[in-house]
Short mmCIF file of all heavy atoms in Angstrom, two decimals:
data_model
loop_
_atom_site.label_atom_id
_atom_site.label_comp_id
_atom_site.label_asym_id
_atom_site.label_seq_id
_atom_site.Cartn_x
_atom_site.Cartn_y
_atom_site.Cartn_z
N ASN S 748 104.57 147.95 136.88
CA ASN S 748 105.89 147.37 137.30
C ASN S 748 106.76 146.87 136.31
O ASN S 748 107.93 147.07 136.28
CB ASN S 748 105.51 146.09 138.31
CG ASN S 748 104.93 146.52 139.54
OD1 ASN S 748 105.18 147.62 140.01
ND2 ASN S 748 104.10 145.69 140.15
N ILE S 749 106.13 146.25 135.21
CA ILE S 749 106.98 145.80 134.02
C ILE S 749 107.67 147.02 133.33
O ILE S 749 108.94 146.91 133.05
CB ILE S 749 105.99 145.16 133.00
CG1 ILE S 749 105.58 143.76 133.56
CG2 ILE S 749 106.79 144.87 131.68
CD1 ILE S 749 104.51 143.11 132.72
N LYS S 750 107.00 148.11 133.16
CA LYS S 750 107.59 149.21 132.61
C LYS S 750 108.69 149.82 133.46
O LYS S 750 109.75 150.27 132.91
CB LYS S 750 106.49 150.36 132.38
CG LYS S 750 107.02 151.47 131.39
CD LYS S 750 105.81 152.35 130.94
CE LYS S 750 106.37 153.37 130.01
NZ LYS S 750 105.15 154.22 129.48
N ASP S 751 108.42 149.85 134.75
CA ASP S 751 109.42 150.39 135.70
C ASP S 751 110.78 149.53 135.62
O ASP S 751 111.86 150.09 135.91
CB ASP S 751 109.02 150.37 137.06
CG ASP S 751 107.92 151.46 137.30
OD1 ASP S 751 107.88 152.46 136.58
OD2 ASP S 751 107.21 151.30 138.36
N TYR S 752 110.61 148.30 135.25
CA TYR S 752 111.79 147.40 135.14
C TYR S 752 112.53 147.53 133.82
O TYR S 752 113.46 147.03 133.56
CB TYR S 752 111.46 145.97 135.45
CG TYR S 752 111.39 145.55 136.81
CD1 TYR S 752 110.18 145.18 137.46
CD2 TYR S 752 112.57 145.52 137.65
CE1 TYR S 752 110.07 144.82 138.80
CE2 TYR S 752 112.49 145.11 138.93
CZ TYR S 752 111.18 144.69 139.47
OH TYR S 752 111.19 144.32 140.84
N GLY S 753 111.93 148.43 133.02
CA GLY S 753 112.71 148.66 131.65
C GLY S 753 112.30 147.84 130.57
O GLY S 753 112.81 147.93 129.42
N PHE S 754 111.27 147.00 130.69
CA PHE S 754 110.81 146.18 129.50
C PHE S 754 110.05 146.97 128.53
O PHE S 754 109.30 147.95 128.92
CB PHE S 754 109.98 144.93 129.99
CG PHE S 754 110.81 144.01 130.79
CD1 PHE S 754 110.78 143.89 132.15
CD2 PHE S 754 111.61 143.10 130.23
CE1 PHE S 754 111.54 143.03 132.91
CE2 PHE S 754 112.35 142.14 130.92
CZ PHE S 754 112.41 142.18 132.29
N ASN S 755 110.04 146.60 127.32
CA ASN S 755 109.17 147.29 126.27
C ASN S 755 108.16 146.44 125.69
O ASN S 755 107.37 146.86 124.85
CB ASN S 755 110.09 147.96 125.22
CG ASN S 755 110.95 146.90 124.47
OD1 ASN S 755 110.63 145.69 124.67
ND2 ASN S 755 111.94 147.32 123.74
N THR S 756 108.00 145.17 125.95
CA THR S 756 107.04 144.28 125.42
C THR S 756 106.63 143.14 126.41
O THR S 756 107.27 142.80 127.37
CB THR S 756 107.78 143.40 124.28
OG1 THR S 756 108.38 144.34 123.35
CG2 THR S 756 106.86 142.54 123.62
N ILE S 757 105.27 142.91 126.35
CA ILE S 757 104.73 141.76 127.17
C ILE S 757 104.32 140.72 126.29
O ILE S 757 103.67 141.01 125.09
CB ILE S 757 103.60 142.31 128.14
CG1 ILE S 757 102.48 142.81 127.33
CG2 ILE S 757 104.17 143.29 129.07
CD1 ILE S 757 101.21 143.01 128.20
N ILE S 758 104.35 139.46 126.67
CA ILE S 758 103.83 138.31 125.88
C ILE S 758 102.73 137.72 126.73
O ILE S 758 102.91 137.39 127.88
CB ILE S 758 104.94 137.30 125.63
CG1 ILE S 758 106.17 137.94 124.88
CG2 ILE S 758 104.39 136.02 124.85
CD1 ILE S 758 107.22 136.94 124.58
N VAL S 759 101.62 137.64 126.14
CA VAL S 759 100.38 137.37 126.85
C VAL S 759 99.86 135.95 126.38
O VAL S 759 99.62 135.75 125.18
CB VAL S 759 99.31 138.40 126.76
CG1 VAL S 759 98.08 138.00 127.60
CG2 VAL S 759 99.82 139.73 127.15
N GLN S 760 99.58 135.05 127.32
CA GLN S 760 99.06 133.70 126.87
C GLN S 760 97.65 133.96 126.34
O GLN S 760 96.75 134.49 127.08
CB GLN S 760 98.99 132.84 128.14
CG GLN S 760 98.36 131.43 127.98
CD GLN S 760 99.23 130.56 126.95
OE1 GLN S 760 98.98 130.68 125.77
NE2 GLN S 760 100.08 129.81 127.51
N ALA S 761 97.32 133.49 125.10
CA ALA S 761 96.07 133.51 124.46
C ALA S 761 95.39 132.16 124.41
O ALA S 761 94.15 132.05 124.43
CB ALA S 761 96.22 134.17 123.10
N ARG S 762 96.14 131.09 124.38
CA ARG S 762 95.63 129.68 124.21
C ARG S 762 96.42 128.73 124.90
O ARG S 762 97.38 128.13 124.29
CB ARG S 762 95.54 129.35 122.69
CG ARG S 762 94.59 128.20 122.45
CD ARG S 762 94.12 128.00 121.05
NE ARG S 762 94.18 129.26 120.17
CZ ARG S 762 93.36 130.25 120.16
NH1 ARG S 762 92.54 130.31 121.12
NH2 ARG S 762 93.52 131.17 119.29
N PRO S 763 96.24 128.40 126.17
CA PRO S 763 97.09 127.56 126.82
C PRO S 763 96.81 126.01 126.59
O PRO S 763 97.71 125.20 126.47
CB PRO S 763 96.85 127.85 128.35
CG PRO S 763 95.41 128.48 128.41
CD PRO S 763 95.29 129.22 127.02
N ASN S 764 95.59 125.56 126.43
CA ASN S 764 95.21 124.17 126.30
C ASN S 764 94.06 124.02 125.25
O ASN S 764 93.06 123.38 125.62
CB ASN S 764 94.73 123.61 127.61
CG ASN S 764 95.81 123.70 128.65
OD1 ASN S 764 95.90 124.63 129.39
ND2 ASN S 764 96.67 122.69 128.65
N ALA S 765 94.33 124.44 124.01
CA ALA S 765 93.20 124.34 122.88
C ALA S 765 91.97 125.10 123.47
O ALA S 765 90.91 124.58 123.32
CB ALA S 765 93.00 122.95 122.60
N ASP S 766 92.11 126.06 124.20
CA ASP S 766 91.09 126.95 124.77
C ASP S 766 91.47 128.35 124.53
O ASP S 766 92.31 128.68 123.70
CB ASP S 766 90.86 126.60 126.27
CG ASP S 766 92.13 126.70 127.01
OD1 ASP S 766 93.18 127.22 126.54
OD2 ASP S 766 92.21 126.22 128.24
N SER S 767 90.80 129.25 125.13
CA SER S 767 90.90 130.63 124.86
C SER S 767 90.87 131.54 126.11
O SER S 767 90.00 131.44 127.07
CB SER S 767 89.85 131.18 123.80
OG SER S 767 90.06 132.48 123.45
#
Side-chain angles (χ1 to χ4, degrees):
N748 289 338
I749 290 171
K750 192 170 182 180
D751 287 345
Y752 276 113
F754 293 102
N755 60 11
T756 302
I757 62 170
I758 300 176
V759 185
Q760 177 65 272
R762 196 166 338 287
N764 298 94
D766 50 12
S767 180

